[in-house]
Amino acid sequence: MSNNACTSKRVLPVSQAEIEIECPTHVSSIAPLADIERFPPLVDWLSNLDRQISMQKASSAKETIVFDRITLQSVDVFGSGKIGFLKFTTSARRMPENKSLPGVVFLRGGAVAVLLILRTSSAATKPVLSFQDNDHVVLTVQPRLAVPDLSLSEIPAGMLDGQNGEFSGTAARELEEETGLVIHADELVELTDRGVYPSPGACDEFLRLFACEKRISESELQNIEGRLSGLRDEGEFITLRLARLKDLCRETSDMKTLAALCLWDRLVSERIATHTE
């Protein structure tokens, strides 16, 4: 342990495993260790680790993973004062070989995303497969500097901010925030049972994907294209655009959009199969 670090020892409640959290001063100078330990994604990560270790013990497997310590590397605090991102390394070994495992972890927590399908009053009423129809999907266009893409098209999405128990309501709020369209939580169809992990090799982020079919007038549809949206005071510069559902797979390289499209097709296929039996 570094002389310029504070530490905290945890006994995980289910597995009774001990794990040490080491926080160097360059991290604690940005956010105190006590605040970091309350960061919801870290709380969830430790809870999931606890459950995995407990399951490992119950299985009596010869090969086990032993965790000793996590060492915090960086923390990012949003303008609101809340912790947004946390990066750390883990000290973990595979036994009986006693071999170290790679463990660089970036925590940001979960998010929700919505495939919003708009259907005009003159269109068919029943759900259809994405490659069969002329319905439209609402996409947000905004700079994504991590890629980097200055105008990436994607379905509306937003972080959960620790609200892991109320996914559909969060999705509805994010949809209104990013598009201005009011969707009630009970209008959303969940496409994922437990969410999907876009990058489990290094990041804890999981996505709960939803779909919604909404009927609107032709004039309402035309008014959406090019609308400016997002929380501009928080650096969100979003422009809305419409894409035909049948063309969506060629409109973006965004994973959550393509995953939602695939899951939607599967859902509709199951509906059609059930209806025709």
Side-chain angles (χ1 to χ4, degrees):
M1 182 185 73
S2 169
N3 291 329
N4 296 318
C6 55
T7 62
S8 170
K9 288 189 176 181
R10 286 285 194 92
V11 176
L12 303 179
V14 178
S15 65
Q16 292 298 296
E18 287 191 8
I19 188 167
E20 184 178 90
I21 302 175
E22 180 180 347
C23 182
T25 53
H26 75 271
V27 176
S28 60
S29 64
I30 298 173
L33 178 56
D35 290 352
I36 293 174
E37 289 184 303
R38 290 191 291 269
F39 180 42
L42 179 59
V43 173
D44 291 340
W45 188 88
L46 289 170
S47 176
N48 291 334
L49 176 64
D50 189 16
R51 184 168 57 254
Q52 290 290 318
I53 294 175
S54 180
M55 291 168 57
Q56 178 180 258
K57 286 182 175 180
S59 71
S60 300
K62 293 181 180 179
E63 297 79 15
T64 60
I65 309 297
V66 177
F67 284 82
D68 300 316
R69 180 178 65 258
I70 67 175
T71 301
L72 306 182
Q73 291 187 318
S74 65
V75 61
D76 290 283
V77 178
F78 290 160
S80 62
K82 294 196 303 184
I83 294 175
F85 308 121
L86 181 67
K87 182 172 177 282
F88 60 83
T89 59
T90 63
S91 174
R93 293 166 288 122
R94 177 186 162 98
M95 305 299 287
E97 299 93 336
N98 197 28
K99 294 292 186 180
S100 295
L101 296 175
V104 177
V105 181
F106 176 68
L107 294 187
R108 60 167 294 158
V112 292
V114 182
L115 179 70
L116 177 57
I117 301 167
L118 299 180
R119 179 167 296 156
T120 59
S121 54
S122 60
T125 58
K126 64 181 182 180
V128 291
L129 292 167
S130 66
F131 55 81
Q132 294 176 321
D133 80 309
N134 291 316
D135 293 343
H136 289 80
V137 173
V138 176
L139 298 176
T140 61
V141 182
Q142 58 187 310
R144 292 300 196 187
L145 302 186
V147 180
D149 189 324
L150 302 186
S151 56
L152 183 67
S153 295
E154 54 194 298
I155 58 176
M159 296 174 66
L160 285 169
D161 292 331
Q163 303 174 66
N164 288 2
E166 202 246 321
F167 299 106
S168 60
T170 303
R173 286 193 296 273
E174 287 293 339
L175 195 59
E176 182 176 1
E177 179 181 297
E178 292 201 350
T179 69
L181 298 172
V182 177
I183 303 293
H184 300 291
D186 58 7
E187 296 179 82
L188 297 171
V189 177
E190 183 154 12
L191 301 173
T192 51
D193 293 330
R194 295 178 298 171
V196 294
Y197 290 101
S199 186
C203 184
D204 73 314
E205 181 183 24
F206 66 93
L207 292 166
R208 300 294 287 260
L209 301 176
F210 295 84
C212 176
E213 294 177 288
K214 189 174 182 66
R215 300 188 72 82
I216 62 174
S217 67
E218 292 283 356
S219 61
E220 287 175 317
L221 184 69
Q222 293 173 5
N223 288 335
I224 290 172
E225 182 73 34
R227 182 187 299 173
L228 301 180
S229 185
L231 300 177
R232 306 228 154 194
D233 291 342
E234 297 182 11
E236 289 185 348
F237 295 91
I238 296 173
T239 302
L240 301 185
R241 65 174 289 242
L242 297 172
R244 290 191 181 277
L245 182 58
K246 66 179 182 180
D247 298 329
L248 185 58
C249 64
R250 295 182 292 273
E251 293 285 342
T252 182
S253 56
D254 175 58
M255 185 282 301
K256 62 181 175 291
T257 302
L258 298 177
L261 179 65
C262 179
L263 292 168
W264 170 255
D265 267 353
R266 178 181 176 183
L267 176 64
V268 175
S269 295
E270 291 174 350
R271 287 180 182 176
I272 292 173
T274 301
H275 183 72
T276 55
E277 287 179 356

